[in-house]
Amino acid sequence: MIELAWPWLLAAAVLPLLARLAVPPAEGARGAIRIPFYHRVARDSQPASSPWYRVLLAALAWLALVVAAARPQWIDEPVALPATGRDLLLSVDISGSMETADLFLGSQPATRLDVVKNVVGEFLDRRQGDRVGLILFGRRAYLQTPLTFDRATTRQMLDESVIGLAGKETAIGDAIGLAVKRLREQAHDQKVLILLTDGANTAGAVDPLKAAQLAEQEGVRIYTVGVGADEMMVRSLFGARRVNPSADLDEDTLRTIADQTGGRYFRARDTDELVQIYALLDELEPVESDEEVVRPRRELFHWPLTIALAVTGLLILGRLRFRSRRFASA
């Protein structure tokens, strides 16, 4: 539908009529100077009556200008905007052990980090309305993406992460501490950290359980995810043997961190389990919509303004041609 932003300006449409009524036409005055060719000058100086179509065009130009000044707008259909009060930080382990290729993408073997990028990336795509951020940690923890509604950039930064970028060891405590520091600055009540790792805390200045206590005090809920297969075949000089690639995973600490902060611990032994975990996290931390509705507006004033300028140009051009013909006939 079409609306006028300033409809009261339409009252200006009658201004030319009011001016015509308020100012009467000037009566002819007796000449004070006589000149030999007076009658010719008087004939040329008398304005010719405007044809009806010129009056109509002038009225059209004025009305179009008034309509443009009233700012016509096209109002589109209502659009619901998802809104939520949740700040969601993802903390992903990129230590050396995440290079272990004990998982599969489809039928192809893949490293743990490649699988995490694929699954967590799809999780990010579903978090419409949340502010999401990304922490990468190895020997040190780094805030790769601050809390933002730009989920595409967050996913791109995750996709561009590489093994060893933050060191080969694992600083779980530092990752939690950095997340709490960032979430503490936010005013929202819903503060969530999803921490994914495949090992134990082997580096960093902060003990994971101490960091969990701080998270509890700040109202940060932590979900921990342990990723990695329970067994895989390894070939050596003495033949193939079966090993447990997740022997270093500290499940007890991850479970304690989650329980202390009101979250949950999940174990992902393959890609399907990891997909199910992040689907469950969608249910545990749903996107809460406040049903905020907006109606997009598009300005249309340029159309009547163009008409007014075009008609005015035609009137000026016609006036110039009329004068040139009178000059030529004289």
Side-chain angles (χ1 to χ4, degrees):
M1 59 180 294
I2 296 179
E3 287 186 0
L4 297 177
W6 303 327
W8 50 270
L9 281 176
L10 293 179
V14 300
L15 286 180
L17 181 59
L18 294 178
R20 183 77 174 108
L21 295 175
V23 182
E27 296 181 359
R30 170 173 273 182
I33 301 177
R34 292 183 178 275
I35 55 177
F37 46 92
Y38 170 76
H39 295 290
R40 181 178 174 184
V41 172
R43 183 194 65 190
D44 293 340
S45 62
Q46 288 180 355
S49 58
S50 299
W52 64 269
Y53 62 86
R54 290 182 60 84
V55 176
L56 182 60
L57 288 176
L60 175 62
W62 173 252
L63 290 176
L65 192 61
V66 170
V67 171
R71 283 186 61 195
Q73 299 173 330
W74 176 262
I75 311 300
D76 287 332
E77 293 296 323
V79 177
L81 294 180
T84 178
R86 181 174 286 100
D87 289 331
L88 182 64
L89 267 178
L90 303 176
S91 188
V92 177
D93 187 351
I94 56 170
S95 61
S97 56
M98 289 292 288
E99 197 171 13
T100 305
D102 59 346
L103 301 178
F104 290 84
L105 278 176
S107 59
Q108 299 297 320
T111 67
R112 295 171 177 175
L113 183 58
D114 288 338
V115 173
V116 168
K117 288 179 181 180
N118 183 272
V119 175
V120 176
E122 294 179 356
F123 173 79
L124 281 171
D125 291 340
R126 298 193 297 268
R127 304 308 299 185
Q128 184 177 5
D130 276 343
R131 292 202 311 167
V132 294
L134 175 65
I135 291 176
L136 300 177
F137 68 96
R139 187 173 183 274
R140 298 182 182 274
Y142 297 94
L143 181 68
Q144 194 72 355
T145 306
L147 289 167
T148 176
F149 289 108
D150 188 356
R151 294 170 289 118
T153 298
T154 304
R155 180 169 187 175
Q156 180 180 352
M157 298 303 290
L158 174 63
D159 291 338
E160 293 177 355
S161 62
V162 294
I163 299 295
L165 179 66
K168 295 291 187 178
E169 299 174 282
T170 308
I172 296 175
D174 285 4
I176 297 174
L178 179 57
V180 172
K181 178 182 178 181
R182 291 297 177 177
L183 291 171
R184 177 193 294 170
E185 301 170 355
Q186 310 304 318
H188 301 304
D189 295 331
Q190 299 291 337
K191 304 174 183 178
V192 179
L193 169 65
I194 301 176
L195 184 142
L196 182 144
T197 184
D198 66 343
N201 189 74
T202 57
V206 182
D207 180 76
L209 297 182
K210 292 291 185 181
Q213 292 177 4
L214 181 60
E216 180 186 12
Q217 295 172 7
E218 297 296 333
V220 178
R221 184 163 52 255
I222 302 178
Y223 295 95
T224 54
V225 180
V227 63
D230 283 338
E231 61 179 35
M232 66 179 297
M233 298 299 296
V234 177
R235 298 186 179 278
S236 64
L237 295 176
F238 304 100
R241 59 190 181 92
R242 195 181 304 274
V243 298
N244 179 8
S246 299
D248 294 333
L249 179 62
D250 189 355
E251 294 191 73
D252 291 337
T253 298
L254 295 178
R255 187 176 290 107
T256 301
I257 292 171
D259 292 342
Q260 185 169 350
T261 58
R264 286 180 58 179
Y265 167 67
F266 302 94
R267 179 74 172 91
R269 297 172 178 81
D270 54 41
T271 303
D272 290 339
E273 285 188 353
L274 189 61
V275 170
Q276 294 172 10
I277 288 170
Y278 277 92
L280 181 58
L281 286 172
D282 269 331
E283 298 177 6
L284 294 174
E285 297 293 337
V287 175
E288 300 171 356
S289 176
D290 293 338
E291 297 297 333
E292 182 179 354
V293 177
V294 297
R295 302 193 70 171
R297 298 172 180 264
R298 287 182 291 165
E299 295 288 347
L300 302 176
F301 70 89
H302 53 278
W303 293 109
L305 182 60
T306 301
I307 293 173
L309 293 177
V311 173
T312 302
L314 289 175
L315 289 172
I316 294 174
L317 181 60
R319 188 65 177 174
L320 291 176
R321 292 182 63 184
F322 175 74
R323 287 186 176 181
S324 64
R325 286 200 302 266
R326 289 187 63 181
F327 180 77
S329 63

